[in-house]
Amino acid sequence: MKELGEFLKNERIKKGLTLEEIQEITKIRIRYLKAIEDGDFSIMPALVYAKGFVKSYAEALGLDGNELVKKYEYLFQEKEEETLPNIETNSSYKKEGRDFSQFFLTLKKAVIFVLVIGIIGYGFYYFINQVKKGLAPIPQQNQSEASTYSEDKTDLENKTNLPQESNVSQLTVKTSIEKVAETSKKIEYKVVPFGESYKVEISVPGEKCWFSVKVDGNVVYEGLMTKDMSKIFDVKDSITILMGYPPAVKITVDGEELPTVQTPSPVTINIHT
């Protein structure tokens, strides 16, 4: 570890840069930059942060971050093994969450069905009353005229009721999301999607932020996003977003914006069904 840190430190000194300047470029706190130069990864919150910080540090010096991380991959092996025991626990938690989500979705569909039936029943009742009121003042109408009036009335009521039923469905059935846990380094959300999957958009209205993104257990993106950049991910079960500088980030789930994290240090956001 010392070898990698000394290499980066020497490159920084050659370019005449201070740790404060590197912090301004990468948005990585000085304590983590100094830990990298000292070869001390013990204060890093997770393996992926150590890799990401080293990559961003190297790129700030004009080096190939991916190549450098690949060259010193063996330095991260021990920490990677330490994170493996958590996989089984996370898998069990996701399974329980999925069962609860399925029950909640079934209940929601039943409520919507009952609501729509109620609206149709009320519309029919209202229609019958209106027909009776309309026929009372014209007792001299023959059967044919009454039938024509009834058909015209039915068409009018159908045109009035159908959009109302559609609007109720559109307003009731949509993706919902709620916060279930929060610490200084991790925030957890539970989402009940409208369809089979949901879309998560990550954008950077601020300056810069480094990310590592896992979708359904697979790493799909790692890198530095700059101002006005954005990425959209299609998620079936879960997405984990590791952010180096959260205040610069905006996250939406099926168009619903999550609260901005104001902590100026690495934070993990986990969203699951």
Side-chain angles (χ1 to χ4, degrees):
M1 295 184 184
K2 200 75 174 176
E3 179 186 353
L4 172 59
E6 289 178 353
F7 171 74
L8 291 172
K9 182 177 181 179
N10 290 335
E11 288 296 315
R12 174 175 63 79
I13 293 173
K14 286 180 183 179
K15 294 183 180 295
L17 296 172
T18 65
L19 286 177
E20 287 77 8
E21 290 172 324
I22 296 298
Q23 176 184 245
E24 181 65 25
I25 294 172
T26 63
K27 301 302 180 184
I28 300 172
R29 298 175 67 179
I30 289 180
R31 62 180 297 215
Y32 295 128
L33 296 174
K34 192 173 186 308
I36 292 173
E37 291 188 351
D38 293 341
D40 179 15
F41 290 167
S42 62
I43 69 170
M44 298 293 180
L47 167 66
V48 69
Y49 284 116
K51 282 185 177 181
F53 289 171
V54 168
K55 180 181 175 183
S56 295
Y57 191 169
E59 289 174 350
L61 296 174
L63 304 174
D64 188 331
N66 289 322
E67 186 64 30
L68 189 66
V69 169
K70 183 177 180 181
K71 178 180 179 181
Y72 290 95
E73 182 70 26
Y74 67 91
L75 295 178
F76 306 102
Q77 294 301 318
E78 182 178 352
K79 281 185 171 287
E80 192 167 38
E81 292 172 2
E82 291 176 1
T83 63
L84 291 179
N86 294 325
I87 295 177
E88 183 177 351
T89 301
N90 291 338
S91 176
S92 175
Y93 179 81
K94 287 200 296 184
K95 182 178 179 182
E96 293 176 3
R98 191 179 301 114
D99 292 340
F100 177 79
S101 175
Q102 186 65 33
F103 169 76
F104 184 78
L105 185 60
T106 301
L107 180 62
K108 184 170 68 173
K109 290 180 178 179
V111 171
I112 294 170
F113 177 77
V114 172
L115 182 61
V116 171
I117 292 299
I119 292 173
I120 294 175
Y122 176 77
F124 181 76
Y125 172 77
Y126 176 80
F127 164 72
I128 293 298
N129 282 340
Q130 290 297 105
V131 169
K132 289 180 179 179
K133 292 177 182 178
L135 291 176
I138 49 173
Q140 297 180 356
Q141 285 183 316
N142 58 32
Q143 188 66 28
S144 175
E145 291 173 339
S147 175
T148 302
Y149 176 82
S150 177
E151 290 175 0
D152 292 341
K153 197 72 174 180
T154 300
D155 291 340
L156 178 60
E157 290 296 331
N158 286 338
K159 291 178 181 178
T160 303
N161 287 336
L162 287 178
Q164 293 177 354
E165 295 170 14
S166 176
N167 289 338
V168 169
S169 298
Q170 291 175 4
L171 291 174
T172 304
V173 183
K174 67 176 184 178
T175 297
S176 64
I177 182 167
E178 63 175 330
K179 185 188 296 183
V180 295
E182 180 175 6
T183 65
S184 61
K185 294 184 178 180
K186 183 176 181 180
I187 303 175
E188 182 179 351
Y189 288 93
K190 179 176 179 59
V191 62
V192 180
F194 168 67
E196 295 295 324
S197 63
Y198 56 98
K199 295 188 182 299
V200 176
E201 180 177 4
I202 302 174
S203 58
V204 181
E207 295 183 8
K208 298 178 182 178
C209 183
W210 176 88
F211 294 90
S212 176
V213 182
K214 284 185 179 181
V215 174
D216 297 328
N218 300 313
V219 178
V220 296
Y221 177 75
E222 278 189 352
L224 186 69
M225 290 175 60
T226 57
K227 183 176 176 62
D228 295 331
M229 286 183 63
S230 65
K231 290 185 178 295
I232 299 177
F233 303 93
D234 190 48
V235 185
K236 183 177 181 182
D237 293 319
S238 67
I239 179 171
T240 301
I241 306 167
L242 305 179
M243 305 178 290
Y245 188 65
V249 181
K250 174 183 175 182
I251 299 174
T252 61
V253 179
D254 276 353
E256 182 174 346
E257 184 176 350
L258 301 185
T260 301
V261 180
Q262 300 299 336
T263 305
S265 59
V267 173
T268 299
I269 289 185
N270 179 247
I271 304 171
H272 58 81
T273 57

